[in-house]
Amino acid sequence: MGKNGRVVRTGAVAAALVSGVTFGAVAGGPSLSAVASPAAGLPAECAEVRDAVERLEGDITPNACAFMRRQITFGEIPTGTPPQAGEVTHPRVQAYLDIFDPEATLWEAGSAPQRGHGVIGTSIIGSLGLVPDLRYAGTDVVADGAVVMFGQWNEATIKGHKVSYPQIARNVLSDDGKSIQARRYYDRVTVFGPAAPELRNLFDGVADPAHSPGDIPEAVQPARFAAAEITDRLAAWNDEDATALTERMRGGRLNGPGLATPLTTAEGQADYLNRLFAHGRFELKAGQAAFGRTTAYVEWHGTVTTLANEKVSFGIVERFGPDGEWELTFDTLPLVADQAAIRTLYQRLAQP
């Protein structure tokens, strides 16, 4: 069972990175029957992918199948002896680089994009040395033509402590199923926790208000999110309009960084978003979107100007799932620590 109450299962399809340090994974975890798109039009060779993730939906093209198989292959190879600096022939490094086009770009929270096998290879070598036991399980995956949104649950040992956290890996694919542009979304506060227990939970104290049973209206699930809504929803994010964002999802269950349980009331959900908006000024644009049978992912990316008056790269992925699921994935670290403090945290994380 994952931190946010989501069941996770065996599978490995993407990489978690920490600001230029690529975190790979070894497959493992509890088992759960996969939920897939209808069989019609789904290539038979994708059966291994459907078996390796909790849910797979969308327009599964041959290049998407090839991409996901490469991701799974990387996840199934144990690190063994971690690679040394420059050891690009290490089997796990080779499997990782096989995921990416030679000129691919890879964006991480709070950092400039990495470009090309040379830089990406150096990152994965560094991370496998730092966290050789990192692993993850696939949760909700939606492939929509050349776009793959891969939800996952990551686990690793950091400073002697086990940590786990959700991540969304967003990839745009070439015709041969290589990732040509990748972005990774997760909350670095969870990753840094063992090395920096002083980091605060931005959403500490946010909760649904207490109600008596008679005060709770009958639940009505929100309608499925549609591509035609992207323009208006982007405007609501940039206007920091918590009312518009929550009203569209009335009846849904909001999950996101800093929450132990989902928020089910409009009051609790608005408090969560207003807490976020109180800590930064957002300038976002629409990124990639992927639509499946029951699940849709939408990416918003751009910058946030923090309370420390620092303008940093920032992004949010919204997941609209079945039965009213509404999930946000983003990084709270630049909202609770300035850039100088974050650099110190990276130094602390790398120390023995």
Side-chain angles (χ1 to χ4, degrees):
M1 184 70 70
K3 175 183 176 184
N4 293 326
R6 297 182 64 180
V7 178
V8 296
R9 55 151 296 117
T10 301
V13 185
L17 300 99
V18 176
S19 189
V21 180
T22 308
F23 278 4
V26 179
S31 180
L32 178 71
S33 296
V35 179
S37 300
L42 204 62
E45 63 267 26
C46 281
E48 64 203 81
V49 175
R50 298 197 300 274
D51 290 342
V53 301
E54 178 182 329
R55 184 189 305 272
L56 173 63
E57 295 184 1
D59 179 13
I60 316 297
T61 60
N63 62 331
C65 286
F67 167 78
M68 290 185 285
R69 287 199 302 270
R70 292 186 183 107
Q71 293 280 41
I72 291 170
T73 296
F74 166 73
E76 291 177 344
I77 297 176
T79 300
T81 301
Q84 301 300 305
E87 191 182 351
V88 294
T89 58
H90 188 285
R92 199 155 191 227
V93 176
Q94 285 289 296
Y96 185 68
L97 291 177
D98 191 44
I99 295 168
F100 297 95
D101 181 86
E103 296 300 319
T105 58
L106 176 60
W107 175 88
E108 278 302 301
S111 65
Q114 305 170 45
R115 183 181 180 88
H117 275 194
V119 178
I120 294 172
T122 298
S123 293
I124 188 63
I125 289 170
S127 68
L128 291 176
L130 181 64
V131 192
D133 75 330
L134 180 88
R135 57 193 245 170
Y136 56 89
T139 53
D140 274 12
V141 181
V142 176
D144 195 343
V147 177
V148 175
M149 295 282 197
F150 189 84
Q152 62 191 66
W153 187 261
N154 296 345
E155 297 179 346
T157 302
I158 298 177
K159 295 292 185 180
H161 297 273
K162 295 287 186 181
V163 299
S164 56
Y165 54 97
Q167 176 186 301
I168 306 298
R170 185 282 255 165
N171 289 272
V172 177
L173 310 180
S174 65
D175 288 346
D176 60 357
K178 302 276 187 172
S179 179
I180 57 177
Q181 188 194 64
R183 292 197 179 108
R184 305 291 188 248
Y185 293 89
Y186 59 95
D187 187 12
R188 288 182 291 169
V189 166
T190 304
V191 177
F192 280 113
E198 73 275 12
L199 286 174
R200 65 186 177 93
N201 176 2
L202 181 64
F203 301 102
D204 188 37
V206 173
D208 287 319
H211 290 284
S212 64
D215 293 334
I216 301 175
E218 183 178 353
V220 177
Q221 292 181 11
R224 291 180 60 188
F225 188 82
E229 300 179 69
I230 287 177
T231 299
D232 287 344
R233 194 150 186 89
L234 174 61
W237 277 109
N238 283 325
D239 290 342
E240 301 184 352
D241 190 342
T243 298
L245 292 167
T246 57
E247 185 62 31
R248 167 59 180 84
M249 296 306 297
R250 180 172 290 275
R253 301 185 307 280
L254 172 62
N255 217 338
L259 293 177
T261 58
L263 299 170
T264 60
T265 66
E267 299 97 320
Q269 294 170 1
D271 286 348
Y272 183 88
L273 293 176
N274 283 325
R275 179 75 63 87
L276 173 64
F277 295 146
H279 285 78
R281 186 173 68 255
F282 297 89
E283 297 178 64
L284 304 173
K285 57 185 177 181
Q288 299 296 328
F291 294 86
R293 179 168 52 90
T294 70
T295 302
Y297 281 103
V298 181
E299 173 195 35
W300 318 107
H301 67 93
T303 63
V304 60
T305 302
T306 68
L307 296 181
N309 202 33
E310 296 176 328
K311 192 170 188 176
V312 297
S313 63
F314 191 83
I316 300 171
V317 170
E318 286 193 271
R319 172 183 168 268
F320 306 97
D323 305 321
E325 295 172 17
W326 176 26
E327 187 173 14
L328 305 179
T329 304
F330 57 89
D331 180 27
T332 68
L333 186 59
L335 306 179
V336 299
D338 62 26
Q339 295 302 297
I342 292 173
R343 286 192 292 271
T344 299
L345 289 177
Y346 275 110
Q347 295 169 1
R348 195 188 306 176
L349 188 67
Q351 292 171 352

